[in-house]
Amino acid sequence: MERRRFPPAIVGMLACLTLFFGVFLFYPVGYMLRGAFFVEGKFTLEFFRLALASPLVRESVATSFWLGVLVTLFTTLLTLPLAHLFTRYRFFGKGLLGALLLVPMIMPPFVGAIGMRQVFGQYGSLNLVLAKLGCMDLARPIDWLGGGGFWGVVILETLNLYPIMFLNVSAAMANVDPTLREAADNLGASPWQVFRTITVPLILPGYFAGAILVFIWAFTDLGTPLIFGLNRVVSVQIFDRVSDVATNPMGFVLVCIVLVLTVVLFLVSRRLVGAKRYEMLARGHTAGAEVVLRGWPAVAAVAGVLLVVCLSLLPHVSVLLQSFAQRWFFTVLPGEMTWQNYEQIFQHPLTVLSIRNSLFYSSLSAGVDLVLGVMIAYLLTRRKIPGAVVLDAVAMLPLALPGLVLAFGYVGGFNWDVAWLNPRNNPIVLLVIAYSVRRLPYIVRSAYAGFQQTSISLEEASLNLGASSLRTLRKITIPLVMANLVAGGVLTFSYAMLEVSDSLILAMRENFYPITKAIYSLMSRIEPNAPSVASALGILGMILLTASLFLASRVLGKRMGQLFRAG
Amino acid sequence: MNVTLQNVSKRFGATRVVENVSLTIEEGELFFLLGPSGCGKTTLLRLLAGFYQPDEGEIFFGERRMNDVPPNRRHTALVFQNYALWPHLSVFENVAYGLDVRGIRGAERETRVREALAVTRMQEYAERSPAQLSGGQQQRVALARALVIRPDVLLLDEPLSNLDAKLRLEMRDEIRRIHQQLRQTMVYVTHDQNEALSLADRIAVMNNGRVQQVGTPRELYREPRNRFVAGFIGEANFVDGTVTGSNGEHLHVRTAVGDLTVAARRRAFHPGQTVTCAVRPESVRADELRNPLSVTVREVAYLGSVEQYVLEMADGSRWKAIESNPYRVRKIGETVTMGVHHKDVILLED
């Protein structure tokens, strides 16, 4: 066969991508691996032996692991009935309730933690109410967030992460051809048998995709344990090693443990599920696959969903209350309400700067992602390039790569004399790129879907009339996939706004703080109204994120869920 | 098991999808529900399977009233239009499913699955996954999965509509063979009149939710009751007329294309009554001397085995005629005389 030649534009794109991934993905990971396994050029497992011998490390890994397992378990239990309800039934207010279920995503859980401490703390609102009702003695308060904050973290992460599980599971359920269930029903299976033998195996791939995301997020979440003071977890331990990254290899070892665990999980789930990724055969057309609920069942359904919504909005409500609080000590509700906290965030140099920084970084990272995402999706869908599988896998890799790991690698790997690349001097480039890399899978997927939905013959018509490839891309293809790009871009932007671990680790100097780091730094001040100002800043972030997610969902419609799936 | 429907009606919102249907399907019969899309035939089938409940009327399997029996207690087996094979189970497991939920295990399970796969000639594919099969093979597995539970009634929902033309003919023969071998009561839904005519013991022709006529293929073709049936099963030329007289053996009808003498049938017509006459294209023949009609040839289409004409009749209306492998080529514009046998003029109710 004749050897294919590629136009220079394609070669250029491939070179750019190789360089980008090489420097910002593989180099830092490789740097950490070297740091963890090599001493003066010699391979050693000594560090790992030391780490595993340390009770602190062992406890931290175990705690984080349990955190991940419990959060995954609870989100599953919460989500399965919800997804069943939303895919099989129609009831009053379904659209609105479905949207409300996704609201928890608009706030990183560590912001919610600030408010939750106020409500569920030992002298928080709940205990005060109970004391007033005479159910509890304030001298011996109930510790709702018991276990040194462990359960607080579990609750917050569950409430924050279940929407991701919900999107995955309900998409998987909706994808199961109703005639497959009918066939089982027809052959005599009871509803429970149908669920167990047909529905569960068929939704398993979708479920795993969501479960792994949830597990990894919970396992590596940094902000929430920090706020609750739960320090004996892997993420906080890694965070504490940032300052002595150059001298102490323990940070690398911890990161490697996280990395190995996530990679193993991904591989195991691929093994379990990947082989059974079912191409649905020809779909049946059954009218009325959704059963309409009326009367008491409808009331019960709505009440159940509302309960979940209310529970999951508790952190948001408490943050909102906190943000208006002048002072809030030993009272059920804040003693005095005020707008001052909001005024302050627009005056205080730290907060003003952080808002400006966040907007700037996020826009830049959305831009970087758009360029990279379009390139990758274009190469994958429209060009037969060698190593397409590899490119696809690399672009999806950040899903398995916790932000914590990447950021730590950047701090270690870019300790160079080049000022604009060293986060100790100027974190802008690395922050923007860290945000971009982490969200790249979403935008690639979004653009990929757009390209696939657009008939290639439209481009061929343009080429046929004499336009160059590049001109065709610019004039025909991109306008046609614009909706998907906008949605993906908005999503990248909004998640960059509220990215926690990257920001906490990489932004080291106050004038470069983004919003999340500013919130964290406010929390550690001793000024009495610091939590309130932090909350106000959190609310502002929520408003920004809500607006952008709303925009994205308008454009993407039901395909929104596809963006939150792994593998 | 015989199946009886009494005055069954089903509505979806304001639309009446099935209206006042009464039918009896005999034990061992291959019974067809035939009609255009949207006529209610699939709804009727799903009423039998129990996926829908009738708003009015009653459904009996044998003596047992089935109205409130859920689908999984009906012991029917439905072959879905898209086959609905479970992609996570092998062919064997798909077929065994109905036995598994009935608690049939061990050797009997094994034998019955093998038997069902043998009947549908799919023995060698037992360990494959459905995705590895062609459309025709998937169809056979769906059939085996339904047969293995020895259902009271086997329901088939347009089972051949997703197959290409050649496979469709092949599977048609298969279904006939299986029916003759097992004498299983089957209700078969289709919009394809050829499928129905070639396979059915009896057919119910449906339109707009109502049963238009029930009969054997021959009855439906030879003696359609109304315009819809005459036009849906085969083709027909229609002309309105008035009965002018009868002599017991024959009726005389005056129509715009000429006077017709019609062989009298079971139904009585009296002089002065207005009727619609239907004539099949192949009944309009050059070698037939009865009922001579003067016509002008307007279009000729050569189709190999037959030659098809569009004829202009005395009143200017156009009829279709088919001549089997003619020796003589007719030219456009030629005026000829064609005849129709007394028995080939069908008098309709509407």
Side-chain angles (χ1 to χ4, degrees), chain A residues 247-300:
Chain A
T247 51
N248 185 349
M250 262 316 132
F252 295 136
V253 173
L254 284 171
V255 165
C256 281
I257 292 174
V258 173
L259 204 54
V260 166
L261 196 76
T262 54
V263 168
V264 165
L265 269 179
F266 254 81
L267 291 181
V268 165
S269 79
R270 277 281 155 94
R271 185 69 5 141
L272 284 178
V273 174
K276 296 190 193 162
R277 189 158 290 262
Y278 312 113
E279 284 305 315
M280 288 292 163
L281 307 167
R283 285 184 77 94
H285 19 89
T286 23
E290 281 185 351
V291 178
V292 182
L293 289 182
R294 286 182 212 292
W296 284 111
V299 173

Side-chain angles (χ1 to χ4, degrees), chain A residues 67-85 154 157-170 173 195 200 203-204 206-215 218 308:
Chain A
L67 210 63
V69 169
L70 286 176
V71 170
T72 312
L73 181 72
F74 290 152
T75 50
T76 305
L77 293 179
L78 197 59
T79 300
L80 274 182
L82 280 178
H84 179 78
L85 191 65
V154 170
E157 284 177 354
T158 302
L159 292 180
N160 184 248
L161 293 175
Y162 83 86
I164 291 175
M165 193 72 109
F166 175 71
L167 285 171
N168 276 286
V169 174
S170 52
M173 279 189 177
F195 181 73
V200 167
I203 65 170
L204 221 48
Y207 168 74
F208 267 111
I212 282 183
L213 274 191
V214 169
F215 179 88
V308 175

